[in-house]
Amino acid sequence: MSFAIHAEHLRKTYPTKPPVEALTDFNLSIESGGALGLLGPNGAGKTTFIRILLGIILPTEGSITVMGVNPSTHPHQVARNVRFVPETPYLNPRWTLWENARYWFTLWDEPWNRESVANVFEQFDLLNRAKEPVKRYSRGMQQRAGLALAFGSAAKIMVLDEPTLGLDVLGVQEVLSVLNIFKTKGKTILFASHDMRFVEELADHIALIANGRVLEVSSATNFRQKHGRERLKLRYRLPDNAQEFTEEIPIPPGVSSEEIITQKVRSIFERGGILLELKKELPSLESVVTSFLRTAR
Amino acid sequence: MTKLSQWKSILKLSFLFFFYTFTAIVRQARYGIQFFILPALGLTTFMAVYAVVRMFDGNAEAIFYPFLVFNVISYPLGGAMQLAYFTLLDSSEASAFLASPIGVNALFAELLGDSWATMMGNFIAIVAAAGITHPQFHGLNTIYGLLLLFMLLVPGVKLGVAIGMKFVFANQLSQFIMAAFFLFLILPSGNPLAWVGLPFSAALDLLSGKAALPAMLYGFAGTILWWAMAEFVFRWSYNQYRLGKGVDRI
């Protein structure tokens, strides 16, 4: 299997007084062409890991390769294959988007092809305003602009830090649909986000990180099934009251859901009530991740 | 670190930065008088210093070259230090620059470009100031002197980036340097301390047409020393930064 990013037993201790251990035996592999979401509380080690894989800081111990190249010893070579989009994309506000693009492409040492960049601007719905200074853009547009520059480049790996920060619901959907297109074009996407719906729709896998370690890597669905307790959702109406009632009942481990359903439905019918809706569902990714990380802490 | 092949990218980026920033100023100028702000600021600074020197019976012409050196050297050093410090303080912003194929030189190129852009206004002020003080220009010497000052701009910015990258007090230090540098330069030229900054003194001598050959040699030797020192400090600082001992240390 070919890994785009492969980290083994990474440890990073910041030489402060007292020293801070940001990563402890950190292991993570990301397949080429996939999307992996890093989830974890602030201070979990996500940024430190990203900075090590970009070759900006050195690990204290362990090894890491990005497309087979060690970023600690060959950061410039790694930089040709990786684009990083910080949570607030760094764009010169006084320059137009075209000027910013020209500057960043020069910085990335990539050939300038105005037509292909225009295509990407079009995909991110920016082309009609690309001649305006970036400072006139809304927060969401600036975010899209940062992403457009990175995805317009030829690099194979995209590292995104909070790509939906400041975007409204529609903006998130627009970014999501474009990123999914680029995912199918073979780009590998590694991103950190606190927007669980975005994570669920983009990530093939999620990596749960806490205290400088990767606790688990799996698909969002598998993670929910494994750690989320199923619950019954009932909506019913009682005869003496026109009001609707909604109840969510967690199914305890080892107890069959049919048993609880029978018991509950019988109780509603005995009171002359009408059952409007009954469904069994998994809790949201957000609540599973929250309870998982709380336990891990 | 700064390989020969990277200089092409650095100069191109520095030029693009200057050009786009200048374009942005012109774009804004369509809507107001912003176009005149930079030169006006430079000229006002000069006039203020000029007035103070005259007040204390100083030589009016003597202020011209220190002012020029101050603009060309001290601003890039102090300004780059301050800008590098603030850029690197935000690890997201720093990462965007540092994770490029030329690495930390991307930051150097950006700040070099920024220095060109800011000094554009100051250069106009210097030309205006030259008219006021009527200095004697000495043809080739003057050109060589200016070239020397430009050559010193590169290690100045590099040193600024290096200090800004490593030291948490870079911001305060830069302000101190910018003020102290100017005072140092207006010391009487006979002061032996003036030779501490060998290339600067040589540039001054060249610009005023004194003993061209020795000054050229001093200037050349001094410039090489400054480049070597800046390169050494730059490498050391970046290595410290990568170890986690930079300004953004947690």
Side-chain angles (χ1 to χ4, degrees), chain A residues 86-146:
Chain A
E87 57 185 15
T88 308
Y90 186 75
L91 298 166
N92 193 312
R94 293 194 296 166
W95 299 355
T96 66
L97 184 56
W98 278 118
E99 288 167 350
N100 271 290
R102 188 81 175 88
Y103 183 80
W104 281 94
F105 272 66
T106 308
L107 190 62
W108 295 328
D109 200 17
E110 285 199 27
W112 177 247
N113 184 338
R114 199 179 163 94
E115 214 167 289
S116 71
V117 174
N119 279 337
V120 178
F121 285 173
E122 179 77 67
Q123 280 178 294
F124 279 88
D125 194 20
L126 292 162
L127 189 60
N128 56 347
R129 294 191 59 189
K131 285 182 182 168
E132 286 181 34
V134 167
K135 68 178 173 187
R136 288 192 207 150
Y137 290 9
S138 65
R139 177 73 184 80
M141 273 186 83
Q142 289 188 19
Q143 193 73 15
R144 289 210 308 273

Side-chain angles (χ1 to χ4, degrees), chain A residues 12-16 20 22 47 51 54-59 71-77 79-80 82-84 86-88 90 92 94-96 98-100 102-104 106-109 131 133 135-136 161, chain B residues 1 3 6 9 12-14 16-18 20-25 27-28 31 87-88 91-104 106-107 109-110 114 238-239 241-245 248-250:
Chain A
K12 176 67 187 176
T13 307
Y14 286 104
T16 46
V20 172
T47 306
R51 300 188 83 205
L54 293 171
I56 293 167
I57 55 171
L58 303 169
S72 306
T73 53
H74 298 88
H76 303 164
Q77 210 176 321
R80 290 186 186 281
V82 184
R83 292 290 162 264
F84 172 65
E87 57 185 15
T88 308
Y90 186 75
N92 193 312
R94 293 194 296 166
W95 299 355
T96 66
W98 278 118
E99 288 167 350
N100 271 290
R102 188 81 175 88
Y103 183 80
W104 281 94
T106 308
L107 190 62
W108 295 328
D109 200 17
K131 285 182 182 168
K135 68 178 173 187
R136 288 192 207 150
D161 194 6
Chain B
M1 186 175 287
K3 292 177 194 157
Q6 290 187 351
S9 304
K12 193 173 172 185
L13 282 167
S14 144
L16 276 179
F17 190 96
F18 164 72
Y20 290 150
T21 303
F22 192 71
T23 311
I25 293 171
R27 199 165 33 229
Q28 276 187 319
Y31 308 106
T87 307
L88 293 161
S91 71
S92 300
E93 193 175 324
S95 302
F97 279 105
L98 301 178
S100 77
I102 58 168
V104 68
L107 189 65
E110 162 112 354
D114 188 63
Y238 186 48
N239 197 40
Y241 184 83
R242 291 188 87 198
L243 289 170
K245 296 175 182 173
D248 64 337
R249 67 182 67 135
I250 52 173

